Amino acid sequence: MAVKKVKALSVTSSKEGFRRAGHSFGREAKVIPLTSLSRNQIGQLKGEGFLAVTEVEIEETSDE
């Protein structure tokens, strides 16, 4: 298995069950790889005042 680093967004909400861009968020961080989001969704998340969005890198494994 190959491990590579990919860019992602770590998102938390000030309200439990807050929904934006097709995802539900709470006080615990939800990490979403950027490859799983459209440009529009990324803009919605970063522009939402109820969300704290941080760009991170995560390790992803593949069968290569």
Side-chain angles (χ1 to χ4, degrees):
M1 289 195 158
V3 177
K4 65 178 181 177
K5 293 207 177 230
V6 296
K7 293 186 180 196
L9 295 181
S10 176
V11 185
T12 58
S13 173
S14 58
K15 297 198 271 187
E16 284 297 326
F18 185 79
R19 295 192 58 83
R20 185 64 70 230
H23 293 270
S24 181
F25 303 99
R27 289 182 174 85
E28 188 171 322
K30 180 174 185 174
V31 179
I32 308 167
L34 288 182
T35 56
S36 299
L37 297 168
S38 69
R39 287 180 190 244
N40 187 41
Q41 287 173 308
I42 294 168
Q44 288 176 355
L45 295 175
K46 287 184 172 183
E48 177 54 62
F50 287 112
L51 299 177
V53 180
T54 306
E55 292 186 18
V56 297
E57 280 192 346
I58 59 173
E59 290 185 351
E60 192 173 80
T61 57
S62 64
D63 293 332
E64 295 177 3

